[in-house]
């Protein structure tokens, strides 16, 4: 079946540190890949996405590259801020009439000043 | 633009009671999803509607869960009777439904506690 495996948390970093949250997937076919973020007290919102191999999604200083050869979509940011503290979810969708999102378990990120 | 609305935000019930959740998607969004998020896990799809038709309900426990979207706009998810393991956040999401890479927009969720 289709699944997403995420780096387990929680992750605590100092402000301005480099961030990597690992995500690997298993899927039949060619999925689209997503990172969603949930800030404290708020709903899930799309952070970035990539729809085919070698695509790079980016938003708010975050980046992730769709690597088909390693079935990965790792999230990176060069310099994190306190406001990046949130729970991050990696997800995939097969599309083509099967648009449901399959999520990882989430990674809680805390940035300390 | 108004986002996805859900109510109530919180609900506490006893096991074997019934409960209903309501969702109003973003205006013009044809596709509506209900997800269940158990504490410490990622959301899991319960049911997907395209307009007022069901696209995928393969993971909906149909002996106790039901959902409808009669006019192709807002939707209701019901649990009857509730079990302890139904304690979770119930998320509603919507998308335009025009392309398979459409962004899904999520509501704030309803947190259900079954005692």
């Amino acid at each position: 079946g289709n699944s997403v495996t995420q780096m387990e948390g929680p992750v605590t970093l100092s402000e301005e540190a480099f961030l990597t949250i690992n995500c690997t997937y298993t899927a039949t076919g060619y999925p689209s890949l997503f990172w969603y973020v949930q800030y404290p007290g708020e709903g899930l919102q799309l952070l970035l996405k990539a729809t085919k191999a070698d695509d790079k999604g980016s938003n708010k200083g975050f980046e992730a590259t769709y690597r088909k050869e390693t079935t990965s979509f790792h999230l990176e940011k060069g310099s994190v801020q306190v406001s990046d503290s949130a729970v991050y979810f990696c997800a995939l969708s097969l599309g083509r009439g099967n648009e449901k999102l399959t999520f990882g378990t989430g990674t809680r990120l805390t940035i300390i000043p | 633009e108004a986002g996805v609305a859900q109510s109530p935000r919180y609900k506490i019930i006893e096991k074997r009671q019934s409960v209903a959740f309501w969702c109003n998607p973003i205006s013009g969004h044809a596709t509506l999803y209900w997800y269940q998020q158990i504490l410490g896990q990622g959301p899991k799809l319960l049911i997907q509607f395209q307009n007022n038709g069901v696209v995928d309900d393969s993971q909906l426990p149909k002996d106790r869960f039901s959902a409808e979207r009669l006019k192709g706009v807002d939707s209701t998810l019901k649990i009857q009777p509730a079990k302890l393991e139904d304690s979770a956040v119930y998320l509603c999401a919507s998308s335009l439904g025009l392309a398979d890479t459409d962004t899904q927009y999520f509501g704030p969720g309803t947190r259900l506690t079954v005692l």
Side-chain angles (χ1 to χ4, degrees):
Chain A
N2 305 312
S3 65
V4 175
T5 302
Q6 261 184 260
M7 170 179 176
E8 289 194 15
V11 174
T12 303
L13 294 173
S14 296
E15 204 166 20
E16 299 183 4
F18 184 86
L19 168 71
T20 300
I21 300 178
N22 290 336
C23 171
T24 58
Y25 67 90
T26 302
T28 55
Y30 303 97
S32 295
L33 301 173
F34 306 82
W35 278 99
Y36 275 80
V37 59
Q38 188 169 35
Y39 297 104
E42 299 184 18
L44 276 168
Q45 54 186 275
L46 179 66
L47 180 60
L48 53 84
K49 69 179 182 183
T51 58
K52 61 183 187 296
D54 300 324
D55 267 3
K56 178 186 285 188
S58 61
N59 186 24
K60 299 183 180 181
F62 290 89
E63 293 183 339
T65 301
Y66 189 146
R67 301 287 189 199
K68 184 181 173 185
E69 62 276 13
T70 54
T71 62
S72 66
F73 193 54
H74 304 322
L75 183 68
E76 296 182 336
K77 186 173 185 183
S79 176
V80 292
Q81 306 299 314
V82 172
S83 56
D84 294 327
S85 298
V87 181
Y88 292 81
F89 291 91
C90 185
L92 68 80
S93 169
L94 294 178
R96 296 184 183 85
N98 190 3
E99 296 89 3
K100 70 178 182 186
L101 291 166
T102 298
F103 285 89
T105 53
T107 302
R108 182 175 298 278
L109 173 67
T110 302
I111 308 300
I112 53 178
Chain B
E1 178 183 87
V4 176
Q6 289 188 248
S7 67
R9 292 294 309 276
Y10 305 91
K11 190 74 178 179
I12 300 174
I13 62 172
E14 302 270 339
K15 61 183 179 183
R16 291 188 289 274
Q17 285 187 323
S18 302
V19 65
F21 312 127
W22 175 81
C23 171
N24 192 24
I26 293 172
S27 178
H29 280 196
T31 309
L32 185 147
Y33 307 81
W34 283 102
Y35 290 86
Q36 180 193 56
Q37 185 177 13
I38 293 172
L39 187 64
Q41 299 181 19
K44 182 187 77 173
L45 181 76
L46 292 175
I47 189 166
Q48 176 186 347
F49 292 94
Q50 179 75 15
N51 297 308
N52 60 353
V54 174
V55 174
D56 183 353
D57 63 357
S58 57
Q59 299 196 78
L60 186 74
K62 298 180 187 65
D63 57 334
R64 298 183 301 105
F65 285 64
S66 64
E68 60 184 15
R69 193 185 184 200
L70 293 176
K71 296 182 179 179
V73 181
D74 57 348
S75 175
T76 303
L77 176 70
K78 295 180 182 178
I79 308 175
Q80 180 180 13
K83 292 185 174 181
L84 296 177
E85 59 261 36
D86 298 332
S87 293
V89 177
Y90 291 85
L91 299 168
C92 180
S94 70
S95 68
L96 281 168
L98 298 178
D100 57 14
T101 55
D102 281 343
T103 297
Q104 292 184 30
Y105 295 87
F106 285 79
T110 296
R111 182 178 297 277
L112 173 68
T113 302
V114 182
L115 302 176

